[in-house]
Amino acid sequence: MDEERREYFIRRASTGCSGCGALDQTIDPISALCSRCKSSLLIHGSPTIPKPKLKQEIEVAEMKVAHACKLERAEQTFNSFMNWFASPSKSDPLKRLCYLHFIKLRSSDGEPLMRFRDSIVQAYALTIFDENGGRFDARKRQFNYCIGRASICPWNKRRFSAIGTDYDYSERRGLQRKPTLMHRAFQEIFIEAGISRLISKIKHKIKEE
């Protein structure tokens, strides 16, 4: 690291936590956050605003999705995409996490830990939360983070791996604590894999009724 860059990070750390403003905590010079705010950023996508629990919103989204459309054809298309996109290789963390959630790990019902319906319902629930005035950290693009996370991860422990499943939990936990990965998922899964388009169609159909 050159001298100018080193001095920049020293100045950055000396200004206090950019999340809570604490001056008496050790500040990470890269993120400019104290340990508590940095941990919150990794888990919630924001150092100050926790991601929503979505319990009621998920129930509403499930009913609306079931009422508005049949998912079979879209599910086949998405599953084909995911079989192509996901990879057991650890060289790409997003593709690796998709492999773990959509292909390798199974819940107690024998189905993948994440299914297309889960992606749709969870992402839709977030849009309901947002439309009802829910708070997101705009500076950290937390809404995009949450949508990306909802597209590829069980939300708020909705689904668990079957008892006795042999896998490296610490690896999966580490992958889920990468905000940049979730922002990639917003673009590469929510947008490009068609989840956003289907949610728009569902909303349009409900509005017409």
Side-chain angles (χ1 to χ4, degrees):
M1 182 182 296
D2 59 49
E3 186 66 20
E4 183 178 348
R5 189 167 176 79
R6 187 176 70 84
E7 290 181 0
Y8 165 77
F9 283 122
I10 291 174
R11 291 196 303 271
R12 184 181 173 93
S14 66
T15 59
C17 176
S18 64
C20 66
L23 295 171
D24 58 346
Q25 301 291 323
T26 300
I27 307 300
D28 175 68
I30 306 298
S31 64
L33 296 170
C34 66
S35 58
R36 183 179 62 181
C37 287
K38 184 176 180 180
S39 177
S40 177
L41 175 67
L42 298 178
I43 297 170
H44 300 285
S46 166
T48 55
I49 301 176
K51 63 181 185 290
K53 295 186 181 299
L54 298 180
K55 184 176 180 180
Q56 292 182 343
E57 289 83 0
I58 283 176
E59 291 177 356
V60 172
E62 284 180 331
M63 289 188 293
K64 289 189 174 183
V65 169
H67 172 73
C69 68
K70 295 181 179 179
L71 296 178
E72 287 80 2
R73 182 176 297 179
E75 183 176 25
Q76 290 175 0
T77 301
F78 180 84
N79 288 345
S80 295
F81 164 82
M82 191 55 67
N83 286 331
W84 166 81
F85 180 85
S87 171
S89 171
K90 296 183 180 182
S91 61
D92 187 315
L94 175 57
K95 292 184 177 183
R96 171 68 177 175
L97 186 58
C98 285
Y99 168 76
L100 292 174
H101 283 174
F102 288 93
I103 297 175
K104 180 180 180 180
L105 299 179
R106 300 277 163 166
S107 191
S108 58
D109 56 12
E111 295 192 9
L113 191 61
M114 274 293 290
R115 303 157 300 183
F116 176 60
R117 177 176 290 275
D118 298 311
S119 299
I120 292 293
V121 166
Q122 291 177 172
Y124 191 8
L126 273 163
T127 68
I128 294 172
F129 177 81
D130 182 48
E131 290 165 359
N132 288 340
R135 291 182 63 217
F136 290 103
D137 187 335
R139 189 167 65 90
K140 292 295 184 181
R141 296 184 299 136
Q142 188 187 19
F143 177 75
N144 290 12
Y145 165 91
C146 287
I147 287 285
R149 188 182 183 101
S151 299
I152 63 172
C153 301
W155 193 268
N156 202 27
K157 300 180 180 180
R158 288 183 66 230
R159 288 174 62 79
F160 298 87
S161 295
I163 295 175
T165 302
D166 182 21
Y167 74 101
D168 184 355
Y169 175 76
S170 63
E171 179 203 8
R172 180 179 164 223
R173 181 173 179 270
L175 290 171
Q176 292 181 105
R177 290 169 63 91
K178 292 181 179 291
T180 54
L181 184 154
M182 301 307 172
H183 284 287
R184 273 188 64 196
F186 171 81
Q187 179 62 39
E188 297 179 38
I189 307 300
F190 179 71
I191 301 294
E192 296 177 11
I195 295 173
S196 61
R197 186 167 57 252
L198 181 57
I199 290 175
S200 295
K201 289 181 179 179
I202 293 171
K203 286 182 175 181
H204 181 70
K205 183 173 181 179
I206 291 173
K207 188 176 181 179
E208 286 184 330
E209 293 180 347

